Amino acid sequence: MTGIYFDNNATTRVDPVVVEAMLPYFTEQFGNPSSMHSFGNKVGLAIKKARMQVQELLGAEHDSEIIFTSCGTESDSTAILSALKAQPERKEIITTTVEHPAILTLCAYLEKEGYKVHYLKVDGKGRLDLDEYRRRLTDQVAVVSAMWANNETGTFFPVVEMAELANAAGAMFHTDAVQAVGKVPLNLKDTKIDMLSVSGHKLHAPKGIGVLYLKRGTRFRPLLRGGHQERGRRAGTENTTSIVGLGKAAEMAMEAMAYENTEVKRLRDKLEAGILAKVPRSFVTGNPDDRLPNTSNIAFEFIEGEAILLLLNKFGIAASSGSACTSGSLEPSHVMRAMGIPYTAAHGTVRFSLSRYSTEAEVDRVIAVVPEIIAQLRKLSPYWDGDGPKEEAFAPTYA
Amino acid sequence: MWDYSDKVKEHFFQPRNAGPLEGANGVGDVGSISCGDALRLMLKVEPDTDIILDAHFQTFGCGSAIASSSALTEMIKGKTLDEALKVSNQDIADYLDGLPPEKMHCSVMGREALQAAVANYRGEAWSDDHEEGALVCKCFAIDAVMIEDTIRANNLSSVQDVTNYTKAGGGCSSCHEGIEEILVKVMAERGETFKPGAGTKEEAAPSGMTNLQRIRKIEAVLESVRPQLQRDHGDIELVDVDGKTIYVNMTGACSGCQMEALTLQGIQQKLMEELKEFIKIVPTKAGALTRASCHP
């Protein structure tokens, strides 16, 4: 593999050990796990093993609480739609302004269908106001959905505490934990979290496999109906090879978690400090004291994120940006907007997300290259003059 | 990552004429930091001839915004102001061997900066008619403002109407839900309720044409593309017209050609433009002049 890959919150490389574990299930272990014969039985046992591996990673009480889905988005949609159908008398949803589009787009659709959605605001560091949450949490709320860790900034929400409050109000609690799983120790059996979403490709398993954790006893209505797979909670022939891969990846994530929280975190901190020391008018967004160990979202003022990414790519460095122009919309990242990051910086944010494969040499290389790129783009910017922003403001016609 | 042409990349990585211009006598500033794109275009104009001696730019924006600015300065140098003003945003995109549909607004910004700079040189006030709208149809780069305005101006009430008038929604159809939302909003302004099925029946009938007129028009379009196909040792024949579905036979080298789907897509687009309605072109099995051969 060539190049420096610092975009692990978008997707991770599939671990070679995971690939090896999957290979037999493309060839000799091809049976349908629902079949009664030995071909199917062997595959059925492999799925059972994967379910237990995921159960262990999540700290779930029962392996039957693990439902395999196709992705995090499917898990999110299943959780929220199920909660609404299971409690038809409750017509309100609580979520946050900084959720992934998998939640926000669904909520916008549900608003059109007549549900009331409360969007909890965040402060400048991306933190929730729990008093506001308590005020919104009435007996009309069917489900609360709050992410465990933000995909752009890595900032954590206090989901365990939020789940307790939701439970006390009789609302179901769902968390989109696709960024947190594998990086944060989880012990779901000791929480009031009813539902939790996992995405395989965020933890070195393949794309196209996800998990919905469903606490035993939680009322449930399936999204996909049909066969009896996943105990009738998610019909459709299982994506066997990917399920096996996810099981292996979950087992490996358990082993690597300490490394993620020490060595990966150290590399992330070194990267961040190195860039900030060399680049004026740059800062870290989100909550630096309580976030994922691998994530650093840095705002570079007066330049635009996509242009930074293109130049980084030229140097063989892959990162990500919440800038408008990477998505084709005209608005910068809704997460940056929600935190009140000014436009002068919100368009120029770059997310560096490391993994256990990241190396010191890669970090050193990025620290060396980034200041050069930022200086190059600022030379082109009408808002920048030499060493800092123009004193005489650039004021275009339709600013 | 966007699929940028080599020319876009070249102008982004090595922008021409970047930075302030000493002695500029026409300056146009357009864009907005809130939208993520802003451009200052600086011109040095020879007063006696109105010829642009030099042009520089400073751009806050993405790769295609920087590339569009660079291209613009190259395109207008040596032209008179009137000649330069004839440069359209499409010309800028063409100069760069195309821009992704979602990035066409970058070339629009270049065009506007040029107008602003010329107005500044001439001592005129320039005001843009720019309205920033979210891109709705990515296939044809149509934004919400254009769709809203077209619905209002023409009292449109269905997605097919919108497609017929603006092309929006005539491609992959992923934006149909978005168009319906705009219809709901605009129709509410005039006290009407959007009905998803409305207009479908009317649209199924030939719009303002008899069946014969419509078939003749279709044949005329096919005739117009046949010479090109025949040059490639292929051909196309009309098999049948059933409401919105037009059945054709691709023959000769065109039948089974790797580019067949692309060719048909182009013809379908041309037919939609001529008929001003949303149609689908379906190839029948080669050599069998019946549309039933499509449904064995």
Side-chain angles (χ1 to χ4, degrees):
Chain A
M1 194 169 62
T2 57
I4 298 174
Y5 186 77
F6 279 5
D7 196 15
N8 288 281
N9 285 15
T11 195
T12 53
R13 67 177 288 198
V14 181
D15 193 292
V17 177
V18 170
V19 175
E20 202 180 323
M22 292 170 67
L23 287 176
Y25 295 88
F26 286 111
T27 51
E28 64 263 31
Q29 302 290 351
F30 62 86
N32 188 324
S34 296
S35 300
M36 292 304 291
H37 46 64
S38 60
F39 289 88
N41 194 35
K42 281 180 187 163
V43 176
L45 288 173
I47 290 179
K48 185 177 168 63
K49 182 182 174 191
R51 205 182 300 281
M52 291 166 72
Q53 287 165 317
V54 174
Q55 176 200 353
E56 193 175 349
L57 177 64
L58 299 185
E61 193 166 5
H62 310 280
D63 64 352
S64 60
E65 293 174 329
I66 308 302
I67 302 171
F68 289 111
T69 65
S70 66
C71 59
T73 298
E74 186 194 321
S75 301
D76 288 343
S77 280
T78 306
I80 291 178
L81 294 171
S82 166
L84 295 175
K85 282 183 186 163
Q87 304 167 97
E89 70 286 359
R90 291 178 175 229
K91 299 287 185 195
E92 295 184 14
I93 302 164
I94 295 180
T95 188
T96 80
T97 50
V98 295
E99 294 299 307
H100 189 274
I103 297 292
L104 292 178
T105 307
L106 175 65
C107 285
Y109 167 76
L110 289 168
E111 279 184 292
K112 283 185 226 147
E113 296 290 298
Y115 290 93
K116 183 176 172 62
V117 183
H118 302 274
Y119 297 94
L120 301 177
K121 294 188 291 293
V122 294
D123 68 8
K125 287 187 172 179
R127 296 172 300 193
L128 288 175
D129 175 356
L130 286 186
D131 286 335
E132 186 197 2
Y133 174 52
R134 285 189 190 91
R135 283 197 301 278
R136 307 264 185 176
L137 199 51
T138 66
D139 61 5
Q140 288 304 300
V141 175
V143 60
V144 177
S145 182
M147 64 206 320
W148 198 305
N150 186 269
N151 51 309
E152 290 189 30
T153 63
T155 301
F156 292 129
F157 282 155
V159 286
V160 173
E161 188 182 349
M162 291 174 81
E164 302 256 353
L165 292 166
N167 182 263
M172 290 187 189
F173 189 87
H174 164 255
T175 180
D176 176 347
V178 300
Q179 297 294 347
V181 171
K183 303 185 191 103
V184 177
L186 303 180
N187 196 16
L188 293 178
K189 62 179 170 294
D190 292 337
T191 73
K192 299 288 186 191
I193 292 170
D194 298 300
M195 294 171 286
L196 174 143
S197 301
V198 182
S199 173
H201 71 102
K202 308 291 189 188
L203 60 146
H204 304 286
K207 296 162 190 66
I209 183 70
V211 161
L212 173 64
Y213 160 82
L214 180 73
K215 190 179 274 296
R216 182 178 279 187
T218 305
R219 293 183 73 194
F220 184 74
R221 299 289 182 273
L223 183 66
L224 294 186
R225 292 170 190 269
H228 59 270
Q229 294 90 348
E230 299 297 303
R231 298 170 184 242
R233 297 172 303 181
R234 201 274 185 182
T237 303
E238 295 88 343
N239 181 0
T240 311
T241 45
S242 294
I243 289 172
V244 170
L246 177 56
K248 189 68 193 171
E251 184 187 305
M252 295 179 77
M254 290 283 285
E255 292 161 8
M257 207 173 301
Y259 184 84
E260 292 266 358
N261 285 278
T262 52
E263 188 58 13
V264 176
K265 182 174 181 294
R266 184 187 70 76
L267 289 175
R268 187 275 313 269
D269 291 345
K270 179 180 177 181
L271 173 78
E272 198 169 272
I275 291 174
L276 295 187
K278 289 187 182 176
V279 181
R281 303 298 293 246
S282 62
F283 60 90
V284 174
T285 71
N287 185 0
D289 303 322
D290 193 24
R291 58 178 163 152
L292 292 171
N294 74 321
T295 307
S296 177
N297 191 277
I298 302 179
F300 300 100
E301 290 191 274
F302 304 108
I303 48 174
E304 202 274 340
E306 190 216 78
I308 304 172
L309 293 190
L310 287 171
L311 286 171
L312 281 170
N313 190 58
K314 195 181 171 195
F315 284 94
I317 299 165
S320 180
S321 170
S323 88
C325 271
T326 53
S327 65
S329 79
L330 296 167
E331 287 291 312
S333 146
H334 68 285
V335 178
M336 297 302 125
R337 296 291 311 281
M339 291 193 298
I341 304 293
Y343 280 116
T344 48
H347 284 288
T349 54
V350 175
R351 179 185 68 190
F352 299 96
S353 44
L354 282 60
S355 79
R356 56 183 185 254
Y357 298 102
S358 304
T359 66
E360 190 108 30
E362 290 176 337
V363 167
D364 290 340
R365 172 80 177 138
V366 175
I367 292 172
V369 163
V370 166
E372 202 179 310
I373 287 173
I374 304 303
Q376 187 179 333
L377 287 172
R378 280 178 174 164
K379 269 188 201 163
L380 290 177
S381 172
Y383 294 99
W384 194 261
D385 187 19
D387 298 330
K390 270 196 175 130
E391 279 183 29
E392 181 198 344
F394 168 73
T397 310
Y398 49 90
Chain B
M1 195 66 77
W2 299 102
D3 184 17
Y4 284 138
S5 71
D6 289 342
K7 200 95 178 268
V8 171
K9 288 184 209 161
E10 186 195 329
H11 275 266
F12 169 70
F13 289 123
Q14 289 155 336
R16 278 66 151 174
N17 314 307
L21 176 61
E22 284 288 319
N25 52 3
V27 178
D29 293 341
V30 294
S32 154
I33 201 158
S34 62
C35 292
D37 279 328
L39 164 60
R40 166 171 283 184
L41 181 68
M42 294 151 276
L43 305 178
K44 191 188 283 181
V45 182
E46 165 61 51
D48 296 334
T49 58
D50 265 4
I51 288 175
I52 298 170
L53 301 174
D54 204 356
H56 274 215
F57 77 94
Q58 285 180 294
T59 296
F60 164 83
C62 60
S64 55
I66 290 169
S68 295
S69 307
S70 168
L72 173 67
T73 55
E74 287 287 270
M75 291 170 79
I76 60 175
K77 277 200 291 187
K79 284 189 162 69
T80 65
L81 292 179
D82 287 339
E83 284 168 350
L85 282 171
K86 287 182 188 148
V87 173
S88 68
N89 72 293
Q90 189 60 49
D91 292 334
I92 298 171
D94 291 345
Y95 182 90
L96 291 167
D97 294 336
L99 285 168
E102 293 88 344
K103 298 288 191 170
M104 282 301 284
H105 64 272
C106 296
S107 61
V108 172
M109 187 172 67
R111 158 94 187 141
E112 288 175 340
L114 176 61
Q115 290 172 332
V118 172
N120 175 261
Y121 169 78
R122 288 174 171 166
E124 297 165 355
W126 180 80
S127 67
D128 65 272
D129 55 359
H130 189 89
E131 288 186 79
E132 208 59 85
L135 205 60
V136 175
C137 172
K138 293 186 176 174
C139 297
F140 297 112
I142 315 285
D143 66 28
V145 175
M146 182 176 175
I147 294 172
E148 280 183 29
D149 289 349
T150 309
I151 294 171
R152 277 193 199 97
N154 300 284
N155 278 329
L156 306 184
S157 57
S158 72
V159 174
Q160 283 177 342
D161 282 343
V162 173
T163 304
N164 295 343
Y165 277 76
T166 67
K167 282 196 192 177
C172 72
S173 76
S174 65
C175 61
H176 284 195
E177 194 177 354
I179 295 172
E180 284 186 10
E181 285 170 15
I182 298 172
L183 279 162
V184 168
K185 181 181 132 191
V186 178
M187 287 176 71
E189 289 170 10
R190 56 181 200 239
E192 293 176 21
T193 307
F194 170 71
K195 294 184 185 118
T200 310
K201 204 172 173 184
E202 270 181 27
E203 288 294 329
S207 46
M209 285 186 271
T210 66
N211 261 333
L212 192 59
Q213 287 170 326
R214 195 160 169 266
I215 288 169
R216 281 185 181 146
K217 196 138 204 163
I218 294 167
E219 281 179 333
V221 170
L222 295 185
E223 277 304 313
S224 74
V225 299
R226 289 183 72 201
Q228 197 181 337
L229 301 181
Q230 284 167 344
R231 269 200 300 278
D232 294 335
H233 309 291
D235 209 342
I236 188 168
E237 296 162 315
L238 181 65
V239 173
D240 201 356
V241 179
D242 181 18
K244 297 286 180 192
T245 310
I246 296 169
Y247 295 91
V248 296
N249 252 355
M250 299 295 277
T251 59
C254 289
S255 172
C257 164
Q258 285 186 332
M259 303 292 280
E260 183 180 336
L262 206 63
T263 306
L264 285 170
Q265 204 179 343
I267 296 170
Q268 178 174 283
Q269 182 57 39
K270 207 170 165 68
L271 282 164
M272 284 198 287
E273 286 170 15
E274 285 296 320
L275 297 171
K276 296 189 173 34
E277 60 179 299
F278 187 64
I279 57 97
K280 186 169 68 174
I281 193 162
V282 175
T284 62
K285 206 181 284 178
L289 285 172
T290 63
R291 79 175 203 236
S293 61
C294 277
H295 310 287

